[in-house]
């Protein structure tokens, strides 16, 4: 059934959205954690290397006559590192050069504006092939024998960042796979959760259909008995006749409710048959206005028809008449005495037949406009009972429109009135012959 299919899909969608948010947050946190871990580890390594190189440089300055083993103090800091030592005048004193491929980027980064002493920064630059090169560098200032020195120590971390990027892509891929699996599981679980509700609903629906069908005969008997009593010449007392009229009135309301319930039950069971034929919208609207005018006049309401003209479309005659009747009857029912109801055939394109029913009634609050097509929903429950409403009229109208692939639009303002606009297809697809 459409209701439960829609509910199942909504539950699955909700579950998928929650899982998506969770996975996005998880991947983001994992990525940032790996990035922080890698950065902090490499930064610690660069800082240690800068301290070792500074100690070596200080030893060399303080002991100029002592043989100095560069391999011991510089080379063994880390074969993957490079460093450059400058004095206060910017003169290069010692260095372990980086690759010629990345040295222009390194030299461009060795300025106080881009790299302050004690800070660790990552500099990125695309090469000729468009690939990004990542260089991590730190600077350290120190003073020996009154002379200031600056050490720039760095490392090519392109491979590390490339590995981090690949790991993140792998996490995203695994996250997508996990999301798909979770969505499938969610769909299955939603189906299992809804199954008992669907079973209970099916039983209730079947009960409504059976009860509606079984009540038609006794109600018909009661109506016939009331007619017989009214025609009995022996009953002359006004009070008895009034009681019999009240019985007939209530039986009519019950009969209408039973008919509506039976129609809804058949709709749920896909048992409604639609016989499409060529119909004239202007003619149907005009017939309805003529038929409903006495009822409107009885309530001191002006009922007008506007713009009726011949527009041929495909539809089931009885159901389209019922649709128009429901909308006009609702408009009259909720319009106070002295008001007016206008049934208008609207201008449309060559693919649609459009009409509207506008009243000057109580109107509908915005929060109620999406619910008025729900079964048994009544905006003003007290007034609806007084007027004989059962909350099924607009729900039946919506079912008829679904059978005809039509649309309905609501424009309403409380205290001003309501306008229902119906859009029907003029041409029908071959697959829509019978529903």
């Amino acid at each position: 059934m459409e209701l439960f299919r829609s509910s199942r899909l909504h539950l699955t969608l909700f579950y998928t959205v929650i899982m998506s948010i969770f996975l996005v947050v998880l991947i983001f946190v994992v990525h940032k954690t790996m990035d922080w871990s890698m950065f902090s580890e490499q930064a610690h390594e660069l800082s240690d290397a800068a301290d070792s190189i500074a100690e070596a440089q200080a030893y060399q300055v303080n002991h100029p006559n002592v043989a100095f083993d560069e391999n011991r103090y510089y080379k063994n800091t880390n074969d993957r590192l490079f460093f450059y030592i400058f004095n206060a005048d910017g003169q290069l004193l010692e260095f372990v050069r980086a690759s010629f491929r990345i040295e222009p980027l390194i030299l461009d980064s060795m300025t106080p504006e881009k790299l302050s002493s004690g800070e660790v920064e990552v500099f990125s630059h695309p090469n000729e092939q468009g690939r990004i090169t990542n260089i991590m560098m730190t600077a350290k200032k120190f003073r020996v024998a009154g002379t200031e020195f600056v050490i720039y120590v760095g490392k090519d971390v392109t491979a590390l960042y490339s590995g981090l990027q690949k790991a993140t892509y792998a996490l995203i891929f695994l996250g997508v796979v996990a999301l798909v699996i979770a969505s499938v599981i969610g769909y299955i679980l939603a189906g299992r959760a809804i199954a008992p509700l669907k079973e209970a609903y099916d039983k209730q629906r079947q009960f409504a259909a059976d009860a509606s069908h079984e009540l038609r005969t006794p109600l018909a008997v009661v109506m016939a008995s009331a007619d017989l009593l009214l025609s009995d010449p022996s009953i002359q007392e006004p009070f008895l006749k009034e009681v019999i009229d009240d019985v007939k009135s209530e039986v009519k309301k019950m009969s209408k409710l039973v008919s509506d319930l039976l129609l809804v039950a058949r709709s749920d069971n896909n048992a409604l048959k639609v016989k499409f034929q060529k119909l004239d919208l202007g003619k149907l609207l005009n017939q309805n206005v003529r038929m409903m005018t006495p009822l409107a006049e009885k309530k001191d309401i002006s009922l007008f028809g506007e713009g009726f003209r011949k527009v041929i479309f495909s539809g089931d005659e009885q159901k389209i008449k019922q649709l128009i009747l429901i909308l006009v009857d609702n408009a009259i029912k909720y319009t106070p005495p002295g008001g007016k109801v206008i049934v208008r055939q609207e201008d449309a394109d060559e693919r649609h037949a459009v009409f509207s029913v506008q009243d000057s009634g109580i109107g509908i609050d915005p929060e109620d406009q999406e619910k008025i097509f729900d079964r048994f929903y009544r905006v003003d429950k007290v007034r609806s009972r007084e007027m004989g409403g059962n909350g099924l009229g607009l729900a039946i109208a919506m079912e008829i429109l679904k059978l005809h692939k039509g649309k309905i639009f609501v424009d309403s303002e409380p205290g001003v009135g309501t306008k229902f606009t119906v859009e029907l297809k003029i041409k029908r697809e071959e697959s829509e012959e019978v529903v």
Side-chain angles (χ1 to χ4, degrees):
M1 185 181 175
E2 184 64 30
L3 173 64
F4 291 98
R5 283 198 299 268
S6 176
S7 299
R8 186 178 186 180
L9 289 175
H10 285 159
L11 285 173
T12 305
L13 179 60
F14 177 77
Y15 177 74
T16 302
V17 170
I18 296 299
M19 286 298 298
S20 300
I21 295 174
F22 172 75
L23 288 173
V24 168
V25 172
L26 178 63
I27 292 172
F28 177 79
V29 170
V30 171
H31 172 79
K32 287 297 183 181
T33 301
M34 291 191 300
D35 184 49
W36 169 82
S37 177
M38 182 186 71
F39 181 87
S40 60
E41 184 67 24
Q42 297 302 313
H44 181 69
E45 181 181 354
L46 288 181
S47 297
D48 287 347
D51 291 339
S52 298
I53 295 170
E55 290 176 4
Q57 181 66 21
Y59 181 84
Q60 185 180 13
V61 171
N62 291 325
H63 304 83
N65 298 322
V66 177
F68 186 75
D69 186 358
E70 289 187 354
N71 288 326
R72 179 181 177 186
Y73 291 102
Y74 289 152
K75 300 296 185 180
N76 68 350
T77 54
N78 192 312
D79 290 340
R80 297 172 296 171
L81 298 178
F82 55 83
F83 68 87
Y84 299 82
I85 304 176
F86 297 88
N87 61 16
D89 298 326
Q91 181 181 2
L92 181 62
L93 302 178
E94 298 287 347
F95 63 90
V96 171
R97 296 186 63 178
S99 167
F100 72 92
R101 179 178 56 84
I102 61 175
E103 194 167 47
L105 173 61
I106 295 168
L107 296 177
D108 182 61
S109 304
M110 288 192 302
T111 62
E113 293 78 14
K114 291 186 177 181
L115 188 61
S116 301
S117 177
E119 291 185 352
V120 178
E121 298 287 346
V122 176
F123 300 96
S124 301
H125 190 272
N127 57 22
E128 294 79 2
Q129 291 78 29
R131 299 181 64 182
I132 300 297
T133 298
N134 297 292
I135 305 298
M136 183 180 289
M137 293 181 61
T138 187
K140 180 179 178 63
K141 288 184 179 180
F142 64 99
R143 185 179 295 273
V144 179
T147 305
E148 187 175 86
F149 298 90
V150 180
I151 302 174
Y152 291 96
V153 183
K155 181 179 182 181
D156 185 353
V157 291
T158 302
L160 294 175
Y161 275 88
S162 177
L164 176 63
Q165 186 180 48
K166 291 178 180 178
T168 303
Y169 288 156
L171 283 174
I172 293 174
F173 174 76
L174 292 176
V176 172
V177 173
L179 182 62
V180 171
I181 296 174
S183 298
V184 172
I185 295 174
Y187 184 79
I188 296 172
L189 294 178
R192 291 182 178 179
I194 289 177
L197 298 176
K198 184 177 183 301
E199 182 179 356
Y201 183 83
D202 288 339
K203 290 180 180 179
Q204 182 184 18
R205 184 182 61 190
Q206 188 60 46
F207 170 78
D210 295 342
S212 302
H213 188 270
E214 294 298 327
L215 284 172
R216 298 180 74 180
T217 299
L219 287 173
V221 172
V222 174
M223 179 65 74
S225 300
D227 289 333
L228 184 62
L229 289 173
L230 281 178
S231 62
D232 188 347
S234 64
I235 300 178
Q236 297 296 328
E237 190 174 345
F239 176 73
L240 292 177
K241 288 188 175 183
E242 185 177 340
V243 170
I244 296 171
D245 282 334
D246 290 342
V247 170
K248 284 190 63 176
S249 176
E250 293 302 318
V251 170
K252 285 181 180 178
K253 291 180 182 179
M254 284 292 297
S255 298
K256 184 179 184 304
L257 175 59
V258 167
S259 297
D260 289 346
L261 286 172
L262 188 59
L263 179 62
V264 169
R266 287 175 175 173
S267 171
D268 287 339
N269 290 321
N270 296 322
L272 287 178
K273 300 298 180 181
V274 182
K275 183 180 180 181
F276 285 101
Q277 61 187 90
K278 298 296 182 182
L279 302 175
D280 182 354
L281 179 61
K283 182 179 179 181
L284 294 177
L285 293 174
N286 191 37
Q287 287 176 352
N288 183 272
V289 170
R290 289 200 313 269
M291 180 180 68
M292 298 297 289
T293 295
L295 177 62
E297 291 177 348
K298 186 177 179 181
K299 291 189 60 178
D300 191 24
I301 295 172
S302 301
L303 178 60
F304 301 99
E306 295 182 359
F308 296 161
R309 59 195 179 280
K310 187 175 183 179
V311 173
I312 304 299
F313 71 101
S314 297
D316 184 292
E317 182 175 5
Q318 295 303 318
K319 288 181 173 54
I320 294 298
K321 285 183 176 181
Q322 185 179 12
L323 168 65
I324 300 172
L325 178 64
I326 289 171
L327 295 178
V328 176
D329 181 61
N330 262 13
I332 295 174
K333 186 182 300 180
Y334 292 102
T335 299
K340 64 179 180 179
V341 175
I342 302 175
V343 180
R344 183 183 295 110
Q345 187 171 346
E346 305 283 356
D347 294 330
D349 53 39
E350 65 278 1
R351 295 179 298 172
H352 299 95
V354 183
F355 73 92
S356 65
V357 178
Q358 184 174 2
D359 63 55
S360 58
I362 60 175
I364 306 171
D365 291 327
E367 60 268 19
D368 292 321
Q369 292 181 18
E370 295 182 358
K371 305 175 184 177
I372 57 176
F373 297 102
D374 295 343
R375 296 173 186 177
F376 301 106
Y377 184 83
R378 292 175 288 192
V379 176
D380 189 337
K381 296 177 174 56
V382 175
R383 294 189 60 178
S384 296
R385 291 191 185 96
E386 293 174 352
M387 298 172 183
N390 54 41
L392 285 174
L394 291 178
I396 293 173
M398 180 60 74
E399 293 295 336
I400 293 173
L401 283 169
K402 287 180 180 178
L403 292 173
H404 288 80
K405 313 296 183 186
K407 298 179 181 178
I408 187 167
F409 307 94
V410 184
D411 183 14
S412 182
E413 184 178 347
V416 176
T418 302
K419 180 179 180 181
F420 287 93
T421 303
V422 175
E423 184 180 279
L424 297 165
K425 287 185 178 180
I426 288 181
K427 291 185 179 180
R428 191 170 38 83
E429 302 296 333
E430 293 299 325
S431 59
E432 298 175 14
E433 287 292 337
V434 177
V435 179

